Structures are given as structure tokens and as C-alpha cells.
Amino acid sequence: MRGQGREESLSESRDLDGSYDQLTGHPPGPTKKALKQRFLKLLPCCGPQALPSVSENSVEDEFELSTVCHRPEGLEQLQEQTKFTRKELQVLYRGFKNECPSGVVNEENFKQIYSQFFPQGDSSTYATFLFNAFDTNHDGSVSFEDFVAGLSVILRGTIDDRLNWAFNLYDLNKDGCITKEEMLDIMKSIYDMMGKYTYPALREEAPREHVESFFQKMDRNKDGVVTIEEFIESCQKDENIMRSMQLFDNVI
Amino acid sequence: MAAGVATWLPFARAAAVGWLPLAQQPLPPAPGVKASRGDEVLVVNVSGRRFETWKNTLDRYPDTLLGSSEKEFFYDADSGEYFFDRDPDMFRHVLNFYRTGRLHCPRQECIQAFDEELAFYGLVPELVGDCCLEEYRDRKKENAERLAEDDEAEQAGDGPALPADSSLRQRLWRAFENPHTSTAALVFYYVTGFFIAVSVIANVVETIPCRGPTRRPTREQPCGDRFPTAFFCMDTACVLIFTGEYLLRLFAAPSRCRFLRSVMSLIDVVAILPYYIGLFVPKNDDVSGAFVTLRVFRVFRIFKFSRHSQGLRILGYTLKSCASELGFLLFSLTMAIIIFATVMFYAEKGTSKTNFTSIPAAFWYTIVTMTTLGYGDMVPSTIAGKIFGSICSLSGVLVIALPVPVIVSNFSRIYHQNQRADKRRAQQKVRLARIRLAKSGTTNAFLQYKQNGSLEDSGSGEGHVLCVRSRSAFEQQHHHLLHCLEKTTCHEFTDELTFSEALGTVSLGGRTSRSTSVSSQPMGPGSLLSSCCPRRAKRRAIRLANSTASVSRGSMQELDTLAGQQRSPAPQSRSSLNAKLHDSLDLNCDSQDFVAAIISIPTPPANTPDESQLSSPGGGSGSGGRASSTLRNSRLGTSCLLPETVKISSL
């Protein structure tokens, strides 16, 4: 009781300031509608019949949001489109559906999920880039098909497929070439995931230096951008990259 | 990590493709995880109810029973399912945790049962989801409080029996705190209560105007002035008693500083101090005013009743625990009073001959109106004043009605807790008695078995088979276990009655007991010492004058020597006799912690020597036919035992 008293008194003071909606507890949003609603509620003459017209829209909006549910195409189509077996697709979908009952992942969820794997640093920027890479139709949400398509390319695709996918990831504006600024953004986001406590300590210019070395390696014609052909060619010549491709062998 | 993380791990690993081209060093090879068999459906049979789930679901939480290899212990190969002999209703919640990642708390189940299930399945209670967390915590805390109360009540109720050597101080304190422990304390309790009442009544009656015997209407005096000496004497007596009580409590208190600061002692001091101050204050008019004020404090004696009444204490405790609500009430009332008093004052300012002479004067009107008393000594006359007056009375009702239910509910909760504690204390005694009975039942069963079993050992068909109860396999094994323990320690189990009797009879002089016992059955002093022959329906408790519970050291020695003595008159083979006597003597001289155990195992004479050799550390074996045993620990001064043995045996 005592503890609650303190919190309640705080909220009361905010009520008096007018920065806090007393009834719904949210900051006053659609003020006109809410005010009218509240006023109508106070008056005894205006019975419940007056209210629905006012509140109907908001109720409908909420209802719509909750019933949005995306269902993937059939299992056979997904089998054709991706390189996963039927069982693998089933397992993937069960996991996906469990986490996202509505059938789609939006950006916020995506960021949250990805951040669980990198607790030390800030992975939100990189997660955004990933989200944009997975969201092939750019509708702001990643459905199961997008998800599985991306995974199929990365885990079951050829080396060229993977490199293509990576290029797509780096190319933020999807114009076919990677500029230094784009690369710098990507690099910074990756270094952000490391967090503050690293050994040796992260320096400010580390991403920039890394970008410089990358461009040195990849940019054949030194025109300041890396095109897809340059990228694939340079990567295929790089032994480290080729050797690291076996990273994806046992993921699923 | 949360459940979802496991599902998304492949995706996160796949997303590492973005780092690949940027890596300046070769990335490490992937871990060689064995190829997953794919997902399969597991069947979990909980007390007959079958739950089926994917293996992956259970694997989400590898540090629980179902998620780790621990569940293999419960795997039943014949049926191909995991069988748990637990509550299926609770299991539902546990399984849902694996499925949804949130552990919900069932509302209609006992919280302790739920906790136990969680502990079994390896789930920590912190996993309870936010939706149910508050309720879970509240119920758990309530339960814990109740159990703690029980413990407290158990300990504090009658308290553990004071050790025999507790000082006068401890005993006095205990008498004060728990008056029902001894008659004297109870008497004292009631006497003080009576005198408190007398003192308070005297204070009250003192002020009543009483007519003198001559019926002079012009001179009506209060009784206090009429009979000053009588009242003074009564007051003195009461104060003397209170002072005595206070000083005694001060003496007996285990921590005097804490006692001095406690509320009850302060009340005591305030109750008796005015009297003493009055004694020393000179009776002149200057200070008599202050003296009169002091007399007011005498009414505090009534608070001394709170030691006698639990309800009063609860009320006080409630008020203390509702301090914040009361403070809020007071504060809001003050605010409202000031506001309304100001308003009323200015509303009535213009009127002539008005009572509202100032704002503080209007306070009285506001208070009387807000509490809906309405004495009517101050009333507004202007219309504005009347309007604001009515608003004042309406708001008064609201302001007062708000915190009051909180205080009431607090009081009711505390009161019921107390009631419950008292009820439980009373029930506890019955419960404990019943439990003791049940326990003694098993012990008796064992002793009974020993009797009958020992008869069986004798082998010969003595015809006592009809005494033998049929025992379950469990009982048989249990009794065998107890028997093994007896054999290991060379002592036998006996029951409380026998044991206490043995102790009681030890305190007597050796002679009397010995003679009496010798005159009795050939058991000899063995029956005296042990008197636990289970075959006898009645114990041979030899009642002797002046037997006390405390066992003196000297008497213990005598007992042991008697023990040594006892075997000689028993009919035995010579060899065994010598051996036993020798053993007992050795024993007596041996250790400080001497346990005199007289084990007479009824065996046919042929076996006796063997038995005696085997069980010699504990004492000799006795004659056949009787099982008498005693189990007793004593510390002996064994130094001068031998001569005594000789001495007694000469009798």
C-alpha cells in the first residue's frame, strides 16, 4: 500500500499537468475524439447509443490489426521454390509459427530477435539491413516464404548465390553497386554489434580503415564503387572467403 | 535464453553470410553437430494422461528435466513413452511453458503443490510469466507468512520448556510474558488487572459530585475532595503495586535497554510518574495548576490493559501499520478544513454578530460540518455561506469515507490472522498428540515384534505363536533394520514410559530398590532398572518416596552397580555368569560415557555363552525367557565404582 501510494501520487501530478490521459493512461493522442468520448460518457442523457458511432472506428482498427494473419503457400510450392526437404520445411515453419503466430515478422520483432544473440552490443542497425535483405518485396514485413527463401539461398545455395545475396545485403539502395558510404554504414553496424568491451579496444577509425581495405581489395577499376561482377570476382579469388564458405554446412 | 532464441539460431547463423566477404581473417569452421534426426513426436504419459509433443519443443529448455537427458530415466521401453507418476493437471502447465515460453500459475491449485511440481521438472519459479507473477508471489508470500506464524506461535506460545537450571530472572520473565504457564503468574496477572481497573474507577469516581451526609445543597463537592484520604490511600496502593510490577519486569527483562524503550514500559512509567511528582511538588498555587495537569496522565493507566487484552494490541498494531493511510487522511482533512474555513470566513464576513470572527474560529465550524456532527453552535447566515457550508459537509463525507475502508480491511486482516494463530495453536496440541500416538504405535509394533520374534528365535514351539501378528513385507524389513541397529550398538529400543520410569526409579536409594526387586520376579533389579518387559501388561514401576525426576550422579553409579549385581542371582551357566560379571565390572571401569544396557536375550541355555560373548560390550546376556532392556545414557564418575560394587554385593 505504501509503495503504491508513491506511484499513484506521481501519476496524479502528471494528470494535473494535462500531459497524461487519465482514462486510458496514454498521452493524449487523438484528442478531439477522446475528449468527445469522455464528455459524452459524463452526460447521463447521452446513453450508450451515442458512443458506438464515435468509438467504432477505433475498435475496428484494433480488430483489423489483430486479425491480420498471413498464411504461406502450400508445402509443395515451397519445396519447389527452395532447396529444403519437406521435413525441414515443416520444422522451420513450426518454429516460425510458434514465434510469430500472425505469420509475419515486422521490423521491430526482427530487431528484438536478433538482439538476443548479441547482448553485448547494439545489433539493431545490422538487423535493419538484414530485414531489408530478407524482405524481398519491400512490404515492411517478412513472411515465411521470404524467410525460407533467404535461408535456402544462404544455406543451400551455391557460392555464387551466397555472394549474390551478400551483395544484395550491402547494396542498401539496391542500385547495383556499393558505394563507400553504404559500405561504411554496414561496417559501422557490424562493429556496433561488438559493443564497448573488446580487446583490443575499438578505435573510432577502425570501420573506416576496414572499408578502405575492402575497397582496395574489391574495387578493381578504382572508380569508388563496387559492382556485382567485381565483387564476385574478387571474392572468388580470395582464399579466406572461399574457405569460410563451409560455415553454412550444418546450420539446418 | 528464451525459447524463441533456439528457433531463430539457424537464421542468425545464416545471416553471418553478411560478414563473410568482409572478414579479414578466415572464419572458424562450423561445429560438427551430429545430424539431427529430424523432429519426432514424443509421448509423455503422466499418470495415465498422455501428452504428445515434438521433441524440439522439449529441447528448447535444455536445463530442465524434460529438455535434458534426465527424462531418459523415466523412459519406459515397453510402451515407448515417458512415464511420470505426477499430477497430470499440473503437468499441463509445465508443458505449456515449453510450448509458449510462458509459465502460468494455476489459480485453483495450492501454490505449494505447484512449487513442488516446478521443482520436480527443474523449472525455477522465476520463470512464471508476468501475467501470473504478481498473483503467484502474493500467494506464496501469504503462505510463507502463515507458516512462519505457525512456527512463531509454536515457539512463542508456550515456549520451550525452560531448562532446569534457568535463573530466577529467566523464570520471572517467562512468568510475566506467558501468564498461563504457572499459577502464580496467572494470579499476578489477574491481580494487576484488578488493580488497574480499581485505579481507573477511582480516578473516575473522584470527580463525581457527591452529597455529603448532611445534605447541604449549597456545597456540592466532588468525591475526591470529600474523602481525600481514602482516595489517596487507594491511589498509593495502586501505584505501589504498579511500581513493584515495573521494577520486577525491569529486573527480569533479558535486555533492559530494549525493555526501557518498549511501549508498554513507557506506558507504565507514565502511569506511575505523576504520583511521585505530585508527592514531591509543594502544594502551592503556582504549580498546582501543573500538578492538576499531571493527574490527567493517570488515565494512561487504562492502557496497561493492553497487556491483558489482545484486541487492544491488535488495534494499536493496526493503527501503526496504517500509519500512511491515517497520515493521508489527516493531511487531506487539514487541507479541506483550511480551504473551507477561509471560504466560510469570507462569506460570512459581512454579517453582523457573526460567529465567524476569524479563520481559526471557522475551523471549528468546518470540522464539525465535515464530520457531519453539526452541533449548531456556529451556523452561516448568508446565502453564500449556506451554499459553501453544504458543499463542505458533502465533501467531508467523501474525504473521510475514502481511507477508512483501507484501515478497516487492515484491521480485519490482522485480527483474523491473530484468530487463526490462536486457533492453530490450540489445534497444534491435538495434532502433535495424535502424531505422537501414531509414532508410538510403530515403536510399540516393533517392541511387540521383538517379543514375539524373540519367541520365534527360541525355535521351540512354545505355543506363543498366537501372539504373533502378521506383518507386511515392509514391516518385516523395517523391523529387521531396527534389529540390525540394535545389534550394532548393543542396545535395545524401549519406550518412553519404561525409560522415564527407569530414570525415576534410579534416584532412589539403592537398597530399597534392590530389596524390593529381589523380592519380586527373578528378573531382579533388571525390572527395576528397565521395567520395560514388554510382555508384562503393567510396568513394575516401583514407587518410592521422594523420587525426583532429576538423576543424581551417585544414584547412577548405584544403578550400574546394581546392573552388575543383577546378573549374579539369575540362573545361568557358571561360565556365562563369570563372564558376565567380569564384563560388567570391566564396563563399569571403562568409559566415562557409560551406557548401562542390560540385554537379556531369551535363548536356550546352550546358546547363552555365545550370545554373551557377542554382546559383551553392552553387557551380558541374561536368563532365558525375559526380554528386558533399558536404554540409558549417563555420565558416571566411574573412578570409585569397583569398591561400591563389592559393597553392594555384600548386602
Side-chain angles (χ1 to χ4, degrees):
Chain A
M1 181 67 195
R2 284 168 212 111
Q4 286 170 20
R6 307 285 162 271
E7 285 158 37
E8 280 160 0
S9 59
L10 280 174
S11 65
E12 279 164 14
S13 64
R14 274 190 286 167
D15 287 345
L16 292 175
D17 290 341
S19 59
Y20 196 76
D21 192 332
Q22 279 142 320
L23 280 184
T24 58
H26 301 306
T31 38
K32 275 224 161 97
K33 211 197 282 185
L35 272 174
K36 193 172 174 194
Q37 256 177 288
R38 267 190 281 158
F39 187 59
L40 287 174
K41 273 191 200 159
L42 274 179
L43 295 180
C45 55
C46 295
Q49 71 271 11
L51 295 174
S53 56
V54 174
S55 59
E56 214 174 315
N57 297 338
S58 52
V59 168
E60 266 177 9
D61 289 338
E62 285 173 22
F63 189 62
E64 266 178 44
L65 264 176
S66 60
T67 54
V68 164
C69 185
H70 186 94
R71 292 204 170 78
E73 313 162 5
L75 204 47
E76 286 75 17
Q77 279 130 316
L78 280 177
Q79 259 184 291
E80 286 167 27
Q81 286 168 12
T82 67
K83 301 203 181 75
F84 289 118
T85 67
R86 196 183 176 87
K87 275 218 179 317
E88 286 169 344
L89 282 172
Q90 282 178 335
V91 171
L92 277 173
Y93 186 68
R94 282 203 293 269
F96 187 84
K97 179 81 178 175
N98 210 31
E99 296 308 310
C100 314
S102 59
V104 291
V105 192
N106 58 11
E107 196 167 329
E108 275 311 309
N109 280 357
F110 204 83
K111 281 197 210 169
Q112 204 188 357
I113 289 164
Y114 202 66
S115 65
Q116 286 174 359
F117 293 100
F118 303 99
Q120 303 95 329
D122 174 27
S123 57
S124 50
T125 330
Y126 188 67
T128 313
F129 297 144
L130 274 179
F131 184 82
N132 291 333
F134 270 94
D135 186 14
T136 42
N137 50 3
H138 306 288
D139 59 355
S141 62
V142 169
S143 66
F144 182 65
E145 290 105 331
D146 299 334
F147 179 67
V148 139
L151 278 186
S152 165
V153 168
I154 300 172
L155 298 177
R156 299 271 191 271
T158 63
I159 293 186
D160 276 358
D161 291 337
R162 289 175 186 159
L163 290 174
N164 252 317
W165 202 93
F167 186 85
N168 194 32
L169 172 70
Y170 299 148
D171 187 10
L172 299 177
N173 53 5
K174 315 290 178 225
D175 62 354
C177 49
I178 308 175
T179 63
K180 273 201 182 158
E181 286 72 26
E182 288 175 339
M183 204 59 235
L184 191 58
D185 287 340
I186 300 256
M187 201 62 77
K188 277 210 198 123
S189 71
I190 293 180
Y191 275 83
D192 280 344
M193 282 200 284
M194 293 293 296
K196 202 167 67 160
Y197 304 107
T198 58
Y199 175 78
L202 266 179
R203 294 164 302 129
E204 273 288 327
E205 350 32 91
R208 191 169 288 280
E209 285 172 7
H210 200 151
V211 169
E212 290 301 325
S213 69
F214 176 79
F215 264 77
Q216 203 134 16
K217 200 170 47 168
M218 302 282 168
D219 194 6
R220 297 281 147 165
N221 53 5
K222 309 290 175 211
D223 56 353
V225 292
V226 177
T227 61
I228 180 83
E229 295 84 15
E230 287 176 337
F231 182 71
I232 294 185
E233 204 187 312
S234 315
C235 285
Q236 279 171 342
K237 293 219 182 74
D238 189 333
E239 279 175 22
N240 285 342
I241 294 176
M242 286 301 116
R243 214 178 310 148
S244 309
M245 279 288 173
Q246 36 74 22
L247 201 58
F248 305 109
D249 285 346
N250 290 334
V251 176
I252 286 189
Chain B
M1 286 236 232
V5 173
T7 317
W8 293 105
L9 184 61
F11 151 70
R13 292 183 65 195
V17 73
W19 312 335
L20 232 170
L22 306 176
Q24 290 169 325
Q25 299 160 5
L27 297 177
V33 179
K34 65 180 190 308
S36 58
R37 301 172 289 159
D39 221 356
E40 52 173 344
V41 174
L42 299 180
V43 181
V44 179
N45 184 349
V46 182
S47 302
R49 206 187 297 177
R50 278 183 179 72
F51 295 88
E52 301 183 13
T53 180
W54 292 110
K55 187 171 181 301
N56 276 3
T57 311
L58 295 180
D59 286 342
R60 280 197 201 137
Y61 296 96
D63 52 355
T64 59
L65 190 156
L66 290 170
S68 64
S69 58
E70 196 183 340
K71 63 177 183 281
E72 301 304 325
F73 285 100
F74 299 93
Y75 185 70
D76 180 12
D78 300 330
S79 50
E81 54 190 27
Y82 295 89
F83 183 75
F84 293 97
D85 196 8
R86 314 278 306 186
D87 189 355
D89 292 326
M90 298 281 202
F91 185 75
R92 201 169 56 83
H93 297 278
V94 169
L95 195 53
N96 278 338
F97 167 66
Y98 285 90
R99 292 173 176 151
T100 62
R102 266 186 289 276
L103 183 60
H104 294 282
C105 166
R107 289 206 155 65
Q108 58 271 28
E109 304 280 353
C110 170
I111 204 80
Q112 197 132 2
F114 183 63
D115 260 351
E116 281 166 15
E117 293 295 311
L118 288 187
F120 179 80
Y121 291 108
L123 302 173
V124 279
E126 281 72 35
L127 289 170
V128 175
D130 289 336
C131 42
C132 299
L133 187 61
E134 197 182 315
E135 194 198 309
Y136 172 78
R137 285 235 178 96
D138 285 343
R139 282 167 69 186
K140 206 158 166 206
K141 199 160 60 150
E142 212 181 88
N143 217 19
E145 274 176 9
R146 212 179 299 161
L147 289 174
E149 260 174 39
D150 282 353
D151 285 341
E152 248 181 54
E154 206 179 293
Q155 284 169 13
D158 276 344
L162 277 182
D165 56 346
S166 62
S167 67
L168 171 71
R169 203 174 145 183
Q170 283 172 331
R171 272 186 284 162
L172 209 54
W173 181 247
R174 191 149 168 272
F176 277 132
E177 292 300 300
N178 303 315
H180 49 274
T181 46
S182 75
T183 331
L186 209 56
V187 162
F188 183 75
Y189 176 78
Y190 283 123
V191 161
T192 45
F194 172 71
F195 272 99
I196 296 172
V198 158
S199 161
V200 169
I201 291 174
N203 283 347
V204 167
V205 167
E206 232 179 21
T207 59
I208 299 178
C210 52
R211 308 275 197 93
T214 56
R215 303 210 30 155
R216 275 177 292 168
T218 51
R219 298 211 350 174
E220 272 231 349
Q221 274 179 326
C223 287
D225 293 341
R226 202 156 180 88
F227 310 102
T229 39
F231 279 105
F232 181 73
C233 288
M234 206 164 348
D235 205 20
T236 312
C238 293
V239 167
L240 279 175
I241 291 192
F242 296 151
T243 318
E245 183 202 349
Y246 180 71
L247 289 174
L248 273 177
R249 275 185 204 262
L250 190 62
F251 165 69
S255 157
R256 297 213 173 108
C257 293
R258 205 155 56 100
F259 175 74
L260 281 176
R261 286 180 302 185
S262 73
V263 175
M264 289 311 305
S265 87
L266 282 175
I267 291 177
D268 290 340
V269 166
V270 168
I272 60 179
L273 220 45
Y275 176 81
Y276 289 110
I277 295 179
L279 276 184
F280 296 120
V281 154
K283 288 223 189 325
N284 51 0
D285 289 333
D286 297 344
V287 286
S288 67
F291 177 62
V292 165
T293 321
L294 273 179
R295 294 182 116 201
V296 168
F297 283 99
R298 289 189 305 172
V299 82
F300 274 87
R301 288 178 196 166
I302 206 169
F303 283 116
K304 288 167 67 76
F305 266 129
S306 60
R307 274 215 186 90
H308 299 247
S309 154
Q310 203 180 25
L312 258 182
R313 275 204 298 271
I314 294 173
L315 188 60
Y317 182 69
T318 311
L319 291 176
K320 195 168 64 152
S321 71
C322 301
S324 67
E325 281 82 35
L326 285 175
F328 164 68
L329 175 62
L330 215 59
F331 179 67
S332 57
L333 267 178
T334 313
M335 250 177 40
I337 286 171
I338 294 178
I339 291 172
F340 279 108
T342 314
V343 166
M344 291 305 296
F345 172 71
Y346 283 112
E348 290 287 307
K349 195 160 178 198
T351 328
S352 58
K353 287 196 283 196
T354 183
N355 280 332
F356 295 82
T357 51
S358 65
I359 293 185
F363 281 169
W364 175 243
Y365 168 77
T366 319
I367 292 176
V368 166
T369 314
M370 281 189 87
T371 53
T372 69
L373 278 175
Y375 288 135
D377 55 348
M378 285 168 82
V379 278
S381 33
T382 59
I383 294 183
K386 286 185 181 161
I387 291 176
F388 287 118
S390 37
I391 297 177
C392 173
S393 71
L394 286 175
S395 65
V397 169
L398 283 176
V399 167
I400 291 181
L402 287 176
V404 166
V406 175
I407 298 175
V408 164
S409 76
N410 257 6
F411 178 77
S412 127
R413 180 176 59 88
I414 296 171
Y415 184 71
H416 281 125
Q417 266 178 11
N418 252 295
Q419 294 289 80
R420 210 173 41 214
D422 286 342
K423 200 166 47 159
R424 196 162 290 122
R425 225 177 298 159
Q427 286 174 349
Q428 196 83 322
K429 291 195 191 150
V430 179
R431 253 182 74 201
L432 283 175
R434 241 182 267 149
I435 289 172
R436 227 174 288 137
L437 202 61
K439 274 198 199 146
S440 67
T442 47
T443 324
N444 284 339
F446 179 57
L447 295 174
Q448 192 72 17
Y449 151 67
K450 268 200 313 187
Q451 263 319 87
N452 306 327
S454 57
L455 288 177
E456 285 173 21
D457 281 350
S458 73
S460 52
E462 288 244 351
H464 290 275
V465 194
L466 31 91
C467 304
V468 176
R469 265 175 42 235
S470 61
R471 295 171 301 145
S472 65
F474 173 79
E475 264 187 12
Q476 279 182 13
Q477 292 167 7
H478 185 219
H479 291 166
H480 171 255
L481 183 67
L482 293 174
H483 207 155
C484 290
L485 182 60
E486 284 184 338
K487 281 279 190 273
T488 311
T489 57
C490 297
H491 293 78
E492 279 193 9
F493 288 109
T494 180
D495 59 6
E496 202 179 323
L497 190 56
T498 320
F499 182 61
S500 52
E501 280 175 354
L503 273 187
T505 51
V506 162
S507 62
L508 331 157
R511 251 166 251 205
T512 338
S513 50
R514 213 188 112 267
S515 56
T516 341
S517 59
V518 163
S519 61
S520 69
Q521 298 283 329
M523 282 276 299
S527 71
L528 153 74
L529 302 166
S530 64
S531 62
C532 80
C533 178
R535 283 218 300 188
R536 300 190 180 288
K538 299 192 182 73
R539 303 277 174 267
R540 287 272 162 182
I542 294 162
R543 320 237 176 270
L544 294 153
N546 309 328
S547 68
T548 59
S550 57
V551 178
S552 59
R553 289 185 184 204
S555 49
M556 287 311 272
Q557 290 179 359
E558 288 175 339
L559 176 62
D560 295 326
T561 59
L562 285 173
Q565 166 61 17
Q566 169 251 342
R567 286 178 221 108
S568 33
Q572 290 147 5
S573 59
R574 290 198 77 80
S575 56
S576 56
L577 172 64
N578 291 340
K580 279 193 302 295
L581 202 49
H582 182 68
D583 287 340
S584 61
L585 286 178
D586 283 348
L587 201 51
N588 289 346
C589 302
D590 253 3
S591 53
Q592 282 298 110
D593 301 6
F594 178 71
V595 185
I598 307 141
I599 304 176
S600 347
I601 296 178
T603 53
N607 295 344
T608 312
D610 298 340
E611 291 283 357
S612 66
Q613 303 311 338
L614 283 170
S615 53
S616 56
S621 63
S623 55
R626 312 273 188 258
S628 66
S629 53
T630 194
L631 195 68
R632 192 166 38 86
N633 277 341
S634 58
R635 284 188 179 276
L636 291 187
T638 54
S639 47
C640 50
L641 209 48
L642 208 40
E644 286 191 17
T645 314
V646 171
K647 190 176 74 171
I648 289 179
S649 62
S650 65
L651 286 164

